[in-house]
Amino acid sequence: MILGDVLGLPVLDSDGGRLGKAADVRFVLDGAPHQLISEARMLGIVVSPHSAASFLGYERTNLTQPWPLAHLLRWRHRGSFLVLWEDIALIGKDSVRLRPGFTRYSPALEERDQG
């Protein structure tokens, strides 16, 4: 799977209903804190009902400037949600299909203490 092939694909529920488009893919790094080399693992995809365009980093809750851009991008991606890898039934060449009973999570990225 190539990441560029997933971004922009329509995301469907288990009955084929359209939920939006794949706007982003989330990864986590598995490894000890401050480890130089860690394994990246796909956590899930961010589904946006209005746009498959990038969040440009404004999914981070601490980014608020410049405020017109932050406001516009948050409005453009209103209703977006993260769906975990476990809830993805199929990633095909034309769409992403979710499992029945999938869970919607917030796409926001919280600032964490880096100390």
Side-chain angles (χ1 to χ4, degrees), residues 6-13 17-26 44-53 55 76-84 87-88 96-98 102-107:
V6 176
L7 296 176
L9 283 179
V11 178
L12 312 174
D13 64 17
R18 191 175 190 283
L19 300 171
K21 291 187 176 183
D24 201 359
V25 177
R26 291 282 166 80
I45 61 171
V46 176
V47 180
S48 180
H50 305 288
S51 174
F55 281 81
R76 187 176 194 182
H77 289 289
R78 67 197 181 281
S80 294
F81 60 95
L82 171 69
V83 63
L84 300 182
D87 284 336
I88 299 172
V96 176
R97 188 169 296 250
L98 304 181
F102 70 92
T103 302
R104 296 174 187 234
Y105 295 94
S106 170

Side-chain angles (χ1 to χ4, degrees), residues 45-114:
I45 61 171
V46 176
V47 180
S48 180
H50 305 288
S51 174
S54 172
F55 281 81
L56 298 176
Y58 284 91
E59 70 275 21
R60 290 168 175 78
T61 57
N62 64 330
L63 289 180
T64 59
Q65 300 296 326
W67 73 263
L69 184 57
H71 182 74
L72 172 68
L73 287 169
R74 290 196 175 113
W75 174 81
R76 187 176 194 182
H77 289 289
R78 67 197 181 281
S80 294
F81 60 95
L82 171 69
V83 63
L84 300 182
W85 176 251
E86 296 81 31
D87 284 336
I88 299 172
L90 174 71
I91 298 178
K93 68 177 190 168
D94 297 323
S95 67
V96 176
R97 188 169 296 250
L98 304 181
R99 296 186 190 283
F102 70 92
T103 302
R104 296 174 187 234
Y105 295 94
S106 170
L109 293 172
E110 301 287 330
E111 182 73 17
R112 294 185 190 244
D113 181 14
Q114 300 297 318

Side-chain angles (χ1 to χ4, degrees), residues 28-35 37-41:
V28 293
L29 295 177
D30 291 329
H34 308 292
Q35 181 178 341
I37 299 176
S38 297
E39 293 290 322
R41 176 176 49 87

